[in-house]
């Protein structure tokens, strides 16, 4: 009888030992998850602070041009954008930079080229009034030619070709409703987008591993 009681106590102790080991494993896993979560939050905080500092630096560098009404610096869909009005850059229906427009592009380029490690996309935009000419069958073609003209001016002003590219959005990404002359004028613009470097964002290493061309994806 005593041996049976001892066997039962031993079984209980063994069960408690297994439960304790399981609890320790769970606690260790929970601790590891907590450490990983805290690390990710810290990385996101650092990345956010860096982006805010970069935005403030852009505002500071372009203060004179902003105050003169030649451009705006905005955040759109998480991207920093230097916006120039087409009415300053181009005559109506043309993709040839005016003298004033070229001077503005040169001034902007001299600032952007000094920011180390940044690449830019020059995006052309129009209003929704259609254009149909032999040279420009649609607004998309006009917007692209204008973006390309600004790109060429930036390269001539010292921007390395490896740091800039051109794109067209036509009338499809308006910044205001196309319901008046004033709002249509706001939509006729050139956006110089600061291309985000994904390698600086939290989770970049994990994202790279998903790329089948990287050799480390599954």
């Amino acid at each position: 009888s005593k041996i049976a009681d001892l066997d039962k106590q031993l079984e209980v102790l063994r069960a408690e030992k297994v439960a304790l080991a399981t609890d320790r494993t769970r606690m260790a896993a929970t601790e590891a998850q907590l450490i990983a979560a805290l690390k990710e939050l810290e990385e996101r905080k650092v990345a956010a602070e860096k982006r805010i500092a970069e935005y403030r630096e852009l505002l500071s560098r372009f203060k004179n041009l902003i105050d003169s009404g030649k451009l705006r610096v905005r955040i759109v869909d998480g991207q920093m954008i230097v916006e120039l009005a087409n009415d300053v850059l181009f005559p109506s229906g043309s993709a040839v930079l005016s003298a004033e427009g070229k001077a503005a592009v040169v001034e902007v380029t001299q600032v952007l080229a000094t920011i180390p490690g940044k690449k830019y996309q020059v995006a052309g935009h129009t209003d929704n009034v259609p254009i149909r000419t032999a040279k420009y069958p649609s607004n998309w073609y006009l917007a692209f030619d204008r973006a390309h003209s600004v790109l060429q001016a930036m390269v001539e002003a010292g921007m390395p070709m490896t740091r800039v590219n051109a794109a067209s959005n036509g009338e499809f990404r308006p910044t205001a409703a196309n319901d008046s002359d004033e709002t249509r004028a706001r939509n006729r613009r050139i956006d110089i987008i600061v291309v985000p470097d994904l390698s600086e964002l939290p989770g970049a290493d994990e994202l790279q591993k998903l790329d089948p061309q990287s050799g480390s994806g599954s």
Side-chain angles (χ1 to χ4, degrees), residues 74-208:
R74 303 189 300 136
I75 298 291
V76 180
D77 297 333
Q79 295 177 315
M80 283 179 282
I81 294 177
V82 178
E83 178 188 305
L84 299 93
N86 273 355
D87 293 351
V88 175
L89 302 176
F90 303 102
S92 178
S94 171
V96 178
L97 278 167
S98 65
E100 181 185 6
K102 188 169 185 177
V105 172
V106 169
E107 193 171 354
V108 169
T109 302
Q110 289 173 344
V111 173
L112 294 178
T114 62
I115 303 176
K118 292 299 180 185
K119 295 183 179 181
Y120 308 98
Q121 181 180 79
V122 183
H125 299 264
T126 68
D127 58 29
N128 66 342
V129 178
I131 181 172
R132 289 186 178 89
T133 65
K135 187 172 185 179
Y136 301 120
S138 71
N139 285 339
W140 188 93
Y141 292 91
L142 175 60
F144 180 80
D145 260 16
R146 285 176 166 175
H148 187 252
S149 292
V150 171
L151 181 148
Q152 285 184 309
M154 291 177 70
V155 171
E156 291 171 2
M159 178 66 71
M161 294 184 68
T162 55
R163 295 177 59 190
V164 65
N165 64 74
S168 172
N169 290 292
E171 70 268 32
F172 299 108
R173 297 195 68 180
T175 190
N178 283 294
D179 55 6
S180 69
D181 291 341
E182 181 182 353
T183 55
R184 280 189 287 271
R186 288 171 58 188
N187 289 329
R188 297 190 297 268
R189 67 195 192 278
I190 291 289
D191 286 344
I192 301 177
I193 303 165
V194 182
V195 179
D197 184 355
L198 296 181
S199 67
E200 297 179 350
L201 299 179
D205 292 339
E206 288 75 8
L207 186 64
Q208 182 64 36

Side-chain angles (χ1 to χ4, degrees), residues 10-107:
L10 187 58
E11 288 177 6
V12 171
L13 289 174
R14 285 173 177 168
E16 289 179 352
K17 180 182 178 182
V18 171
L20 183 60
T22 301
D23 288 343
R24 285 177 177 172
T25 301
R26 289 174 180 170
M27 289 176 63
T30 301
E31 182 181 7
Q33 291 172 354
L34 180 58
I35 291 173
L38 289 173
K39 181 181 178 182
E40 183 179 355
L41 284 174
E42 185 64 28
E43 289 175 348
R44 290 183 181 277
K45 178 184 176 183
V46 170
E49 290 174 344
K50 182 178 180 181
R51 297 271 286 170
I52 292 170
E54 289 175 348
Y55 182 61
R56 286 176 174 164
E57 182 182 8
L58 273 184
L59 290 175
S60 175
R61 287 172 179 259
F62 287 122
K63 185 178 185 305
N64 292 337
L65 287 171
I66 293 171
D67 291 345
S68 66
K70 292 182 180 179
L71 61 78
R72 294 196 299 165
V73 177
R74 303 189 300 136
I75 298 291
V76 180
D77 297 333
Q79 295 177 315
M80 283 179 282
I81 294 177
V82 178
E83 178 188 305
L84 299 93
N86 273 355
D87 293 351
V88 175
L89 302 176
F90 303 102
S92 178
S94 171
V96 178
L97 278 167
S98 65
E100 181 185 6
K102 188 169 185 177
V105 172
V106 169
E107 193 171 354

